[in-house]
Amino acid sequence: MKHYVGLDVSQKETSICIVDETGRPIHQGRVKSDPGVLAAVIAKKAPNAERVGLETGAMSSWLWHELKRRFARGLHRCASRPRGPVRSHEQERRE
């Protein structure tokens, strides 16, 4: 089954949301804003990650370059909130 990952980056922590292809949440949480930590969580919780969406902003630029080496095929930058299966259930509840 395919997985989709959404990342919302801040200086110290990154919120992560992983959903399956039906939009069912697999994992939601916060981890240290470190490429190695994020890559390990994604590899463990979403081994079939089809896409990794990273919100653009001042804090995400350095993280983008590090994660691109690990997820070159499926890493995408989002100028605004992600749409479709990458969106978190928190975003869904707010709308």
Side-chain angles (χ1 to χ4, degrees), residues 37-86:
V37 172
L38 286 165
V41 170
I42 294 168
K44 181 179 179 180
K45 302 284 186 179
N48 300 313
E50 182 75 14
R51 289 191 181 150
V52 178
L54 176 66
E55 184 182 21
T56 59
M59 300 308 303
S60 63
S61 180
W62 64 274
L63 191 57
W64 162 261
H65 294 291
E66 292 297 319
L67 289 175
K68 188 171 181 176
R69 286 191 271 162
R70 294 174 170 94
F71 303 102
R73 185 181 130 253
L75 186 63
H76 301 276
R77 287 189 269 197
C78 304
S80 61
R81 296 184 308 180
R83 298 280 179 213
V86 177

Side-chain angles (χ1 to χ4, degrees), residues 16-52:
I16 184 169
C17 179
I18 302 170
V19 298
D20 65 16
E21 59 193 11
T22 67
R24 185 176 63 89
I26 302 298
H27 175 79
Q28 289 186 18
R30 296 177 71 79
V31 297
K32 184 177 177 184
S33 291
D34 176 271
V37 172
L38 286 165
V41 170
I42 294 168
K44 181 179 179 180
K45 302 284 186 179
N48 300 313
E50 182 75 14
R51 289 191 181 150
V52 178

Side-chain angles (χ1 to χ4, degrees), residues 9-14 32-34 59 62:
V9 181
S10 65
Q11 189 171 8
K12 294 183 180 181
E13 291 184 317
T14 297
K32 184 177 177 184
S33 291
D34 176 271
M59 300 308 303
W62 64 274

Side-chain angles (χ1 to χ4, degrees), residues 77-94:
R77 287 189 269 197
C78 304
S80 61
R81 296 184 308 180
R83 298 280 179 213
V86 177
R87 301 180 69 210
S88 74
H89 281 271
E90 183 65 30
Q91 290 170 330
E92 293 290 336
R93 282 190 291 246
R94 282 184 259 167

